[in-house]
Amino acid sequence: MKKKILSLLLALVMALSLVPPSVLAAPDDLGQAHVIVENTTFTKPVDGKAPAWTGTLVDTWVKLTEDSTAMSCVTEALDAKGYTHTGTTYISEINGLSAGDGGAASGWMGTLNDWFTNVGFNDIKAGDKLFAGDTI
């Protein structure tokens, strides 16, 4: 009897070892992304207009879900800290600092893991191009 139970238990363990861990994980447990929002370029007045803020405004971690995009992570991080922002596909203002404030060609730029992306932040989706531990 003991040998039968041990054999069945061993067979179960072997069968479970063939299942990829991703199948056993909860579908919404995708880890966290690191979000940093900073102004390091428009730090002095331009044409008499001073920046609304400089330096790092947000440095936090955001939980990734199946619906997360780089854009949703940035807006979630800003919302969590109580900062204002406008734009859904392109951020045109963050906490009083708007695109164009630093000159005619100024605006917000984004990186993923210190690289400028060749797609919009809405196109950087969790599980596709955005993964746990990434920095936006």
Side-chain angles (χ1 to χ4, degrees):
M1 181 70 167
K2 284 184 180 181
K3 284 184 180 181
K4 240 184 203 183
I5 292 174
L6 186 59
S7 296
L8 288 172
L9 186 58
L10 186 57
L12 179 63
V13 168
M14 289 174 50
L16 286 176
S17 70
L18 298 174
V19 177
S22 60
V23 171
L24 300 175
D28 62 343
D29 185 15
L30 300 178
Q32 295 181 326
H34 187 199
V35 177
I36 302 170
V37 177
E38 59 188 3
N39 170 18
T40 59
T41 56
F42 176 35
T43 58
K44 297 178 180 162
V46 173
D47 298 328
K49 179 160 178 87
W53 55 271
T54 61
T56 301
L57 187 68
V58 172
D59 186 344
T60 192
W61 290 84
V62 174
K63 182 179 178 184
L64 295 174
T65 67
E66 290 179 352
D67 299 327
S68 293
T69 64
M71 181 64 87
S72 71
C73 289
V74 170
T75 58
E76 182 180 330
L78 289 167
D79 290 342
K81 299 292 183 181
Y83 295 121
T84 62
H85 56 88
T86 58
T88 55
T89 58
Y90 171 76
I91 295 178
S92 56
E93 180 269 334
I94 296 176
N95 212 41
L97 185 57
S98 297
D101 284 353
S106 69
W108 290 101
M109 300 185 316
T111 60
L112 179 62
N113 298 322
D114 292 327
W115 287 89
F116 289 103
T117 63
N118 61 351
V119 296
F121 267 19
N122 270 342
D123 295 323
I124 300 173
K125 299 179 188 311
D128 179 28
K129 297 176 183 171
L130 179 61
F131 300 97
D134 284 350
T135 298
I136 304 166

